[in-house]
Amino acid sequence: MAVGRRDKAASFRGSRIVVAIVIGVLLGCVIAFLFPYGLFNPAASVQNRRIGKTNFQIGSSSCESSERSKMLKSEIVSLSEKNSELKMQVRDLTERLQLAEQGKDQAQKQFLVLGEQHKAGPFGTVKALRTNPTVVPDDSVNPRLAKILEKVAVRKELIVALANSNVKEMLEVWFSSIKRVGIPNYLVIALDDHIEEFCKSNDVPVYKRDPDSGIDAVGRSGGNHAVSGLKFRILREFLQLGYSVLLSDVDIIYLQNPFNHLYRDSDVESMTDGHNNMTAYGYNDVFDEPAMGWARYAHTMRIWVYNSGFFFIRPTIPSIELLDRVADRLAKQPNSWDQAVFNEELFFPSHPGYEGLHAAKRTMDFYMFMNSKVLFKTVRKDAKLKKLKPVIVHVNYHPDKLRRMKAVVEFFVNGKQDALDPYPDGSE
Ligand SMILES: *[C@@H]1O[C@H](CO)[C@@H](O)[C@H](O)[C@H]1NC(C)=O
């Protein structure tokens, strides 16, 4: 609330400045019209007198009149010079005003984020902000959902999954694994009536949104990617209500409670599509162009994308901005892939013509939040890694999801050591 008021006060002050400037400019125009030679210009009265004098002496001598016209011409020249000078001043002032407005805006935002200004501490003691403050919860956004979340969430956190009838079987394996671990705070957003009924009959916390024609059409019949894009629009309300959401696809098996394994220091904490330290956490990829000789090596920054099917998002302004930016782009670019857009918005820096997001991000441990490439390519073949107990396994890298999900349960839950053996590393 306080933030909103401060913002309003600032913009009110800003608009008053603009109004004052506009009035000043108008007044200047009127005065320029009435007093073309200036208000306080001592030369003006002399000129006026001189002009008056010529009025009386017109025609008295041709020599004098040509002198007069020369004088008038030079006056015109000097006036038009002055005019262009004034025009330049106006342009300069307008530019400065724009810059001041921009600066004010930036400074205001920074002040809101950082609060008091501080001196930098000694070497090795400074630490930048990565944990942004949470927004003030606004129940008016969706009172019905607010009531549900009050019941379901634990410490204002919960797992959220979207599901329609196309994924019913996977959903069942999904919530069974959650129940087995004993995680209480999870919620299914049912995208059709059948899934709502299915959840209710299985005692699974479910929420069906109020009708919304755009969202509902995609939700009912949409394929994997289309439904995946919906979540960015739907999640916004959860964050506005002040909840942190662990967004989860349904091709995921829970083996431990993920809320015991989060850091909660970033706007977005996500599992990775990477498969080792380098690809998961980032590395310096050297690009070689021999023709450049001495400078043949160009260093590039690389990281495997975050998996937009499993991420923890805190209710902060950068998080909500992320959801908005992704939802906006998915709406405007119907053929885009939500995971690519999600990553581009998260990682691309500001540059000319583009303002980056600058959200704080954290990559989850790729052994604890394991994708199916790590499991099938590495872990199951390594005697030591095989003993790991991940928090979740996401069958994101393989199309035969349901079979592999069941195999994962057999392997990690029922201890069937050869349960994963029949499956190839990749898809056939
Ligand atoms: C990967 O990183 C972890 C944690 O930083 C480290 O303990 C491990 O030795 C690394 N593994 C390899 C293969 O470098």
Side-chain angles (χ1 to χ4, degrees):
M1 290 295 257
V3 169
R5 235 181 291 131
R6 214 181 305 168
D7 251 1
K8 241 182 254 167
S11 75
F12 181 55
R13 210 182 310 131
S15 63
R16 274 203 318 210
I17 292 172
V18 171
V19 167
I21 287 170
V22 168
I23 288 174
V25 169
L26 285 177
L27 211 56
C29 290
V30 170
I31 289 172
F33 182 72
L34 293 178
F35 306 97
Y37 299 102
L39 268 180
F40 310 106
N41 186 355
S45 52
V46 176
Q47 276 169 347
N48 277 341
R49 241 178 287 140
R50 235 189 265 148
I51 289 168
K53 205 165 127 203
T54 52
N55 281 346
F56 289 109
Q57 293 173 349
I58 246 166
S60 66
S61 111
S62 63
C63 174
E64 207 175 314
S65 85
S66 82
E67 210 178 86
R68 268 313 300 147
S69 85
K70 242 189 250 165
M71 213 160 75
L72 282 172
K73 266 185 200 158
S74 78
E75 256 170 37
I76 287 170
V77 169
S78 84
L79 277 176
S80 66
E81 266 172 16
K82 200 163 188 183
N83 189 28
S84 61
E85 205 176 287
L86 283 172
K87 267 188 196 161
M88 264 167 62
Q89 271 183 26
V90 168
R91 208 182 312 142
D92 182 48
L93 283 173
T94 318
E95 258 170 36
R96 269 201 265 173
L97 180 70
Q98 278 171 353
L99 276 178
E101 285 285 319
Q102 273 175 23
K104 187 197 74 182
D105 194 33
Q106 301 289 335
Q108 209 89 34
K109 281 184 193 162
Q110 279 191 4
F111 176 76
L112 289 179
V113 172
L114 301 173
E116 268 175 77
Q117 280 189 299
H118 296 283
K119 288 179 184 168
F123 177 81
T125 66
V126 295
K127 194 163 180 194
L129 197 69
R130 40 185 84 38
T131 310
N132 284 309
T134 54
V135 296
V136 177
D138 180 3
D139 280 5
S140 70
V141 167
N142 187 336
R144 185 165 72 88
L145 179 60
K147 275 213 189 94
I148 295 175
L149 295 185
E150 221 168 90
K151 268 189 255 157
V152 171
V154 173
R155 275 178 255 111
K156 305 221 90 179
E157 298 175 339
L158 76 160
I159 298 169
V160 171
L162 275 66
N164 63 15
S165 293
N166 296 341
V167 296
K168 182 179 165 189
E169 283 178 300
M170 279 198 280
L171 181 68
E172 186 169 16
V173 181
W174 179 85
F175 67 61
S176 301
S177 77
I178 289 182
K179 287 179 175 182
R180 195 181 301 117
V181 176
I183 302 165
N185 47 333
Y186 70 107
L187 182 69
V188 173
I189 301 178
L191 297 174
D192 56 42
D193 295 335
H194 181 66
I195 285 294
E196 187 183 24
E197 281 312 309
F198 180 61
C199 287
K200 280 181 179 163
S201 64
N202 281 284
D203 217 7
V204 166
V206 64
Y207 161 67
K208 182 136 188 300
R209 304 178 65 262
D210 292 331
D212 175 324
S213 54
I215 291 183
D216 292 348
V218 180
R220 266 193 303 274
S221 54
N224 207 6
H225 281 182
V227 169
S228 217
L230 273 185
K231 62 193 170 208
F232 298 99
R233 289 174 62 181
I234 294 175
L235 277 187
R236 190 186 212 276
E237 285 183 346
F238 287 74
L239 302 200
Q240 277 184 287
L241 294 172
Y243 290 85
S244 296
V245 172
L246 183 58
L247 188 281
S248 176
D249 281 354
V250 293
D251 52 350
I252 289 176
I253 299 292
Y254 287 76
L255 300 165
Q256 300 186 54
N257 188 333
F259 294 105
N260 299 334
H261 298 269
L262 297 175
Y263 287 79
R264 301 178 174 83
D265 63 349
S266 304
D267 297 306
V268 175
E269 192 170 339
S270 178
M271 80 169 289
T272 170
D273 274 4
H275 53 270
N276 56 23
N277 281 1
M278 283 168 71
T279 57
Y281 307 143
Y283 67 105
N284 182 352
D285 188 22
V286 181
F287 174 80
D288 186 9
E289 194 177 348
M292 286 301 291
W294 178 75
R296 62 184 288 176
Y297 301 115
H299 294 253
T300 73
M301 297 290 108
R302 293 195 74 187
I303 187 166
W304 263 228
V305 290
Y306 279 4
N307 190 291
S308 61
F310 190 87
F311 59 87
F312 180 70
I313 186 162
R314 294 179 60 250
T316 66
I317 292 294
S319 297
I320 294 172
E321 189 184 351
L322 172 69
L323 297 180
D324 287 358
R325 289 168 73 127
V326 175
D328 184 53
R329 271 188 61 192
L330 291 177
K332 287 178 180 155
Q333 305 163 6
N335 292 325
S336 51
W337 180 31
D338 68 291
Q339 178 157 290
V341 172
F342 177 71
N343 277 273
E344 287 169 11
E345 292 298 332
L346 264 180
F347 286 95
F348 285 166
S350 297
H351 55 255
Y354 178 79
E355 204 183 341
L357 174 67
H358 307 281
K361 36 202 175 284
R362 166 180 282 281
T363 311
M364 290 173 170
D365 185 317
F366 70 90
Y367 284 130
M368 299 305 273
F369 298 87
M370 193 184 288
N371 63 56
S372 54
K373 178 169 167 179
V374 171
L375 176 61
F376 285 95
K377 248 193 88 178
T378 318
V379 168
R380 67 167 169 168
K381 300 172 186 170
D382 184 305
K384 231 162 96 191
L385 292 176
K386 238 178 137 171
K387 297 204 180 85
L388 281 177
K389 181 156 188 175
V391 178
I392 61 142
V393 173
H394 188 179
V395 187
N396 61 322
Y397 267 104
H398 298 89
D400 49 345
K401 293 174 185 297
L402 189 60
R403 290 195 311 143
R404 291 201 192 227
M405 281 173 82
K406 288 177 175 165
V408 167
V409 173
E410 284 299 314
F411 181 79
F412 286 107
V413 180
N414 301 333
K416 204 174 153 207
Q417 283 300 301
D418 59 354
L420 301 175
D421 296 350
Y423 300 91
D425 288 2
S427 58
E428 283 152 325

